[in-house]
Amino acid sequence: MAEATDDIEKLYEFGERLNDAKDKSQHRQDYEGIIAAANGSVKAKQLAAQLIPKFFKFFPQLEAQALDEHLNFIEDDQLGVRVQAIRGLPLFCKDTPEHLSKVVDILGQLLVAGENVERDAIHKALMTVLRQDVKTSLTALFKRIGSIGDRSVEDLSTWESIREKVLLFLRDKVFPLKMELLQPQELMERHITTLVKQNLQDVTAAEFKMFMDFLKSMSLFGHNAPAERIQELVEIIEGQADLDAQFDVSDADHNKRFILCLSVAFPFFKRGASGSKFLNYLNKQIMPVFDKLPEQWKLDLLKNLAECSLYATPQDSRQLLSSVVQLLKKYMVRRKIEEINYTCIECLLYTFHHLAHKTPNATNSLCGYKIVTGQPSDRLGEDFSEQYKDFTERLSTVEDLARAMIKKLTQGMADQNKALAAAKTEEEKDAIKTQQQNATFALRACNNILTMTQPLHTKTPKFIGDQKVNLSWKEVAKPSGPSTVSVAGQKRPAATTNGSSSNATKKGRAGGMQHQLVNKAFAGIHDGGRSSGRGGRSWRGRGRGQGRSYR
C-alpha cells in the first residue's frame, strides 16, 4: 500500500516538474519515470494514462516506448485503467497528426468492447479525432471495412466483429452528423464517395443499401444534382450487380443480387440516369433462361422490369420488346385454365405497353398490328395476320379468366365479411382479414389486366405510356392529367383503373409494398444481427480475417 502511494506521489512530482518547465524536452528522465509506471498499481496506471499522452509531443525520441506502454493500459484487466487510456488516445495526435491514422485504427478495433462506459469513451474519442481531421480519420476507419485478402482462419471472427462495429459506428454516429463533419462539403462528400466505392467489393445486401442511402442523402447527389452525378450512383450499383459476368441461373447469390440492385437503381432512373446496362443484361443474359428461375424470383424480376419499363429508352425498348412479347404469350394461355399467374401477366402487360409506347411499329411484326410511322421498320407490306390472331385470342382468353376471377373474388369477399362477423377469437379474425387483404390485391391485379388488354384489340392499338395504371403492389397514385398514348392519328382517352397497394396472384398471395426478396435482403444492419448467407453474408464469398493488432 505504501509502495503504491509512493508511486503515485512520484508521478505527481514528474507531472508537476514537466508542467512548470519552460523547456519540457530537457526533462526526459521525468517522462521516462511516467512511462515506467505502466507496471505500477491501478491508481498509478490511471494517472500515467493521463500524463503519457499529455507530454507525448515533447519527447519524439520516446514515441515508440510511450505508445507501447499506453497500449498496455488499453489491454489492462482493470476497466478504470482502460477507460482512462482510451480517453487519452486523441491527445497522441492532437499536435502530432502523423499518428492520427494509427489512433483511429486502434479505436476502431476497440469498438468491440463490451462495457458501456468503455464503449462510450471509445465513441467520444473517435468523434474527437474525426473533428480534428475527418478525411484522414474516415480513410482509416474504412480500411476496417473493405476486403483485406487472405488472413488466418483463426482471426476471421475477430475481424468480422470489428468490421461490423465500425459499420454501426459510421451509420449511427458519423452519417447523422454529415452536415457538421463533412466540411468543406463538396470536397469531403467526394472523398467519402470514393471511400465507399473502394469498399463495396465485399458487402452484404443490407450494408450496400446502407451505403447507397447515405450517398444519395448527400448534397453531391441531391435533388439539384446533374444527371451525370446520378448516373455515377447507377454505375456503382451496376458494379455491385456484376453486369459484366456471365449469368448463371444456378448461382442463387448472383440472381438475387441482380434483382436487388435493379430495385436500388430504379429511383435513379426516375431522376434521369440510364438503365440501359441493366435492361441489356436482362434481355441478353436472363430472358433466355427465364423459365429456369425460381417462381418467386420470376415475380420479383417482372415487378422490377415493369417499374423500369417506364424509363426505358426507345432503343432499349425495341431490343427488349421481342423477349417481353414471347414471355407474355407464355403466360397468356390460349385455353381457359385455372392456374395462371395474374400478377405476372399484369407485370408483362404493363411492360409491353410502356416499351411499345416508345417503339410502336416494332409491334407490327410481333403482334400483327398496322401502326404507320413512315419508317422501313413498319414492315407494312408483310403479312403478320397470324401473329395478330394469336395475340388477340390470348388477350380475349385472359380477359375471360380475369372477369371470372373478379366474380369469384367478389363473392368470396362477401363470404369473408360474414365469416369475420361470426368469428369469435382474434386468431380467427386475423386469418380472415389476411384472406380479405389477399382477395383485394388479386382483385386489383385483375382489374389492371382488363384495363391494359382492352386497348390492344384494334389494328392500331393505344399503348399506355404514363403512370395512369397503378400496379397492384404499389400505393394508390394521386390523380394525374390525361393519359399519353402512341397510336396512329389518335389520342388515348383517359383510362379508369383500380389503384392498389400490393401484389396479387390467382391464389391471392399477399405481398408488401416492397418486393418480398428485396424486403428480406434489406432487413438492415442491426446490433447482433446479420443478413443470411455464409458467415452471415449473402452477397459474396468472404476470405477475410484479422484479429486486434494495435502495435
Side-chain angles (χ1 to χ4, degrees):
M1 188 69 173
E3 185 178 346
T5 303
D6 290 342
D7 289 341
I8 294 172
E9 289 178 354
K10 287 181 181 179
L11 282 171
Y12 276 118
E13 290 177 10
F14 296 148
E16 287 173 1
R17 276 200 293 268
L18 284 169
N19 266 329
D20 296 337
K22 292 183 178 180
D23 186 359
K24 296 178 178 23
S25 62
Q26 298 301 313
H27 291 260
R28 174 171 176 156
Q29 288 185 337
D30 289 330
Y31 193 63
E32 286 177 330
I34 293 172
I35 294 174
N39 298 314
S41 66
V42 171
K43 292 293 184 182
K45 290 178 181 179
Q46 286 180 288
L47 183 55
Q50 297 179 51
L51 298 175
I52 288 177
K54 181 177 180 179
F55 300 110
F56 176 75
K57 65 180 179 180
F58 300 108
F59 302 96
Q61 69 276 23
L62 296 175
E63 280 184 357
Q65 186 180 351
L67 278 170
D68 196 54
E69 293 301 338
H70 196 83
L71 293 179
N72 285 336
F73 296 149
I74 287 175
E75 296 174 329
D76 197 86
D77 293 336
Q78 295 296 318
L79 176 62
V81 175
R82 297 199 303 272
V83 169
Q84 188 59 59
I86 291 165
R87 289 171 178 166
L89 279 173
L91 294 175
F92 282 102
C93 51
K94 183 178 181 181
D95 297 297
T96 50
E98 63 270 22
H99 296 294
L100 191 141
S101 291
K102 182 175 180 64
V103 169
V104 172
D105 185 64
I106 293 169
L107 288 167
Q109 295 180 63
L110 291 173
L111 284 169
V112 296
E115 297 287 346
N116 289 337
V117 64
E118 190 174 4
R119 204 159 47 241
D120 289 344
I122 296 164
H123 288 171
K124 289 177 181 177
L126 272 171
M127 295 308 296
T128 298
V129 292
L130 276 163
R131 289 186 170 94
Q132 177 183 332
D133 185 342
V134 65
K135 185 176 182 179
T136 303
S137 298
L138 286 174
T139 302
L141 279 175
F142 268 85
K143 287 180 180 179
R144 285 286 166 182
I145 296 173
S147 177
I148 60 168
D150 296 330
R151 298 282 176 170
S152 64
V153 176
E154 295 81 6
D155 294 331
L156 178 61
S157 177
T158 302
W159 170 261
E160 289 284 1
S161 298
I162 293 171
R163 181 182 182 278
E164 180 170 335
K165 294 301 182 183
V166 169
L167 281 168
L168 290 169
F169 176 78
L170 289 171
R171 185 196 69 181
D172 298 337
K173 302 295 183 180
V174 177
F175 291 173
L177 296 177
K178 62 180 183 292
M179 295 302 294
E180 173 193 344
L181 294 174
L182 300 185
Q183 298 296 332
Q185 188 178 56
E186 185 173 350
L187 179 66
M188 284 310 307
E189 287 189 348
R190 176 52 62 189
H191 178 65
I192 200 169
T193 300
T194 301
L195 290 175
V196 169
K197 286 181 179 181
Q198 292 171 346
N199 290 281
L200 283 179
Q201 72 272 23
D202 201 15
V203 294
T204 66
E207 292 163 0
F208 177 63
K209 178 69 162 48
M210 178 193 75
F211 280 126
M212 292 308 301
D213 285 345
F214 174 66
L215 290 181
K216 70 182 183 183
S217 75
M218 297 193 304
S219 298
L220 193 66
F221 303 105
H223 293 298
N224 297 322
E228 57 267 24
R229 286 188 186 169
I230 305 305
Q231 189 63 41
E232 182 181 352
L233 293 178
V234 171
E235 289 171 1
I236 293 173
I237 302 168
E238 289 171 351
Q240 192 66 205
D242 278 354
L243 298 184
D244 294 325
Q246 181 71 30
F247 184 77
D248 181 0
V249 72
S250 64
D251 185 350
D253 184 69
H254 190 197
N255 299 349
K256 288 186 288 187
R257 186 163 63 250
F258 176 84
I259 295 172
L260 296 171
C261 286
L262 184 56
S263 73
V264 174
F266 170 68
F268 304 121
F269 300 157
K270 294 193 289 185
R271 297 178 62 186
S274 170
S276 294
K277 195 167 183 180
F278 272 104
L279 294 177
N280 288 336
Y281 189 86
L282 176 65
N283 186 40
K284 295 177 180 179
Q285 298 276 349
I286 300 179
M287 282 300 198
V289 294
F290 185 85
D291 289 342
K292 297 179 181 179
L293 292 173
E295 288 302 316
Q296 184 55 49
W297 292 1
K298 290 179 182 178
L299 182 59
D300 284 317
L301 189 63
L302 292 179
K303 285 180 178 181
N304 277 285
L305 176 59
E307 295 187 45
C308 293
S309 65
L310 189 64
Y311 306 98
T313 65
Q315 181 180 356
D316 293 335
S317 299
R318 185 173 291 275
Q319 292 176 350
L320 187 57
L321 192 57
S322 177
S323 297
V324 170
V325 170
Q326 294 306 313
L327 192 57
L328 183 56
K329 287 181 177 180
K330 289 182 180 180
Y331 279 95
M332 292 200 311
V333 293
R334 296 188 66 173
R335 58 189 181 87
K336 296 179 181 180
I337 60 175
E338 288 294 321
E339 294 293 330
I340 69 170
N341 192 314
Y342 290 98
T343 309
C344 287
I345 294 174
E346 177 197 13
C347 292
L348 286 164
L349 281 171
Y350 188 91
T351 302
F352 172 76
H353 269 283
H354 284 88
L355 298 182
H357 172 74
K358 300 179 184 74
T359 177
N361 66 350
T363 63
N364 291 352
S365 60
L366 295 172
C367 308
Y369 292 137
K370 294 289 185 180
I371 295 175
V372 180
T373 65
Q375 300 297 319
S377 54
D378 290 347
R379 302 176 67 177
L380 295 177
E382 301 179 53
D383 182 14
F384 297 113
S385 57
E386 285 300 316
Q387 283 89 332
Y388 178 75
K389 179 182 177 183
D390 177 70
F391 193 66
T392 53
E393 284 180 356
R394 292 175 187 274
L395 289 172
S396 296
T397 300
V398 168
E399 286 172 338
D400 290 342
L401 290 170
R403 290 189 187 99
M405 178 55 64
I406 289 173
K407 183 178 180 180
K408 182 178 179 180
L409 288 168
T410 303
Q411 180 59 49
M413 291 171 76
D415 295 338
Q416 288 161 2
N417 288 335
K418 295 177 182 178
L420 183 61
K424 296 180 179 179
T425 67
E426 288 301 319
E427 185 176 0
E428 289 175 340
K429 291 179 182 179
D430 289 341
I432 295 170
K433 287 178 181 178
T434 299
Q435 293 172 7
Q436 288 178 319
Q437 186 182 49
N438 293 344
T440 301
F441 298 155
L443 186 62
R444 290 169 175 168
C446 290
N447 280 328
N448 279 345
I449 289 172
L450 293 178
T451 298
M452 291 186 286
T453 56
Q454 183 269 332
L456 300 179
H457 287 279
T458 68
K459 285 285 187 176
T460 55
K462 304 171 181 180
F463 299 125
I464 301 170
D466 58 13
Q467 300 182 65
K468 195 70 175 180
V469 173
N470 296 302
L471 291 164
S472 63
W473 61 91
K474 304 292 287 183
E475 291 182 346
V476 177
K478 295 180 179 179
S480 58
S483 179
T484 304
V485 299
S486 175
V487 58
Q490 298 183 44
K491 288 186 178 180
R492 183 180 181 276
T496 302
T497 180
N498 284 31
S500 64
S501 60
S502 187
N503 70 346
T505 65
K506 183 263 173 188
K507 296 182 180 180
R509 288 199 298 266
M513 306 242 255
Q514 296 182 31
H515 305 161
Q516 294 178 25
L517 183 61
V518 177
N519 240 1
K520 182 177 179 181
F522 289 162
I525 306 172
H526 304 288
D527 294 280
R530 304 288 292 188
S531 299
S532 61
R534 186 176 72 81
R537 298 173 175 276
S538 61
W539 273 24
R540 297 180 188 269
R542 300 305 199 268
R544 62 164 98 251
Q546 181 180 353
R548 290 163 67 173
S549 178
Y550 310 132
R551 313 292 175 176

